[in-house]
């Protein structure tokens, strides 16, 4: 299952991501927001990060204006590795090298066409492991997060 969240700035991309996931046959759950009315991104980022940290969702996707606020909040949760991604290349490496489990994107910074490819690549790329395994472990072992 993929957990989705967005604030007002990310709402429209989140709705499009739902259609994309449906067309890919991937299960998702939407944690809001449900309109373009102004709201606070931490509410959605905390919720989605909790779901990913608990293991109830394999991945989370968060959308706000820049992706920055969402990734800052999500990375405060134990076991979460959120990447704020603005290119297809970064989406690939966020999974390959960082084993990122949350994708944060900025709807005001990238086009829907870019966002769509970023989401697809993020979800389709597997962690490379090997030398990256201990690096990823150190992300958590050297903090309490
Ligand atoms: C909302 O205006 C904006 O600040 C928010 O969507 C996000 O970009 C925060 O990081």
């Amino acid at each position: 299952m993929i957990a989705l969240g967005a604030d007002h700035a990310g709402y429209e991309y989140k709705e499009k991501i739902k259609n994309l996931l449906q067309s890919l046959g991937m299960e998702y759950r939407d944690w809001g927001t449900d309109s373009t009315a102004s709201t606070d991104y931490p509410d959605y980022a905390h919720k989605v990060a909790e779901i990913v940290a608990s293991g109830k969702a394999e991945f989370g996707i968060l959308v706000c204006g820049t992706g920055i606020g969402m990734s800052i909040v999500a990375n405060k949760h134990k076991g979460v590795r959120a990447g704020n991604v603005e290119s297809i290349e970064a989406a690939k490496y966020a999974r390959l090298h960082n084993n990122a489990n949350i994708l944060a994107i900025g709807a005001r910074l990238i086009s829907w066409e870019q966002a769509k490819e970023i989401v697809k690549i993020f979800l389709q790329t597997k962690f490379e492991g090997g030398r990256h395994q201990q690096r990823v472990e150190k992300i958590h072992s050297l903090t309490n997060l």
Side-chain angles (χ1 to χ4, degrees):
M1 192 268 281
I2 296 159
L4 302 177
D7 70 355
H8 53 289
Y11 169 72
E12 283 172 7
Y13 277 21
K14 174 174 65 63
E15 296 307 295
K16 290 182 176 188
I17 289 169
K18 282 157 66 173
N19 291 336
L20 173 64
L21 296 180
Q22 237 156 17
S23 75
L24 295 171
M26 302 182 96
E27 200 190 332
Y28 63 82
R29 182 146 173 213
D30 182 0
W31 296 96
T33 186
D34 54 12
S35 78
T36 54
S38 184
T39 187
D40 300 331
Y41 62 84
D43 297 343
Y44 310 96
H46 280 308
K47 189 69 216 175
V48 166
E50 267 171 31
I51 300 295
V52 171
S54 73
K56 288 179 194 141
E58 188 185 0
F59 293 116
I61 302 176
L62 290 165
V63 194
C64 64
T66 59
I68 296 170
M70 289 296 200
S71 58
I72 290 172
V73 175
N75 278 316
K76 298 207 174 291
H77 287 254
K78 196 177 173 79
V80 164
R81 294 175 300 281
N84 182 18
V85 169
E86 288 186 28
S87 71
I88 292 167
E89 199 69 352
K92 186 175 87 177
Y93 284 106
R95 293 287 308 124
L96 273 180
H97 287 189
N98 311 113
N99 200 13
N101 49 15
I102 293 189
L103 170 68
I105 53 179
R108 291 177 178 157
L109 303 183
I110 57 173
S111 69
W112 166 244
E113 284 312 307
Q114 283 173 295
K116 184 175 159 186
E117 289 310 306
I118 283 170
V119 168
K120 284 204 286 194
I121 295 294
F122 184 88
L123 295 175
Q124 288 165 1
T125 307
K126 293 210 181 320
F127 179 48
E128 199 174 280
R131 69 189 188 283
H132 298 291
Q133 183 64 44
Q134 70 176 21
R135 296 170 187 170
V136 167
E137 282 167 13
K138 283 184 180 179
I139 293 171
H140 304 289
S141 65
L142 299 180
T143 68
N144 357 325
L145 298 174

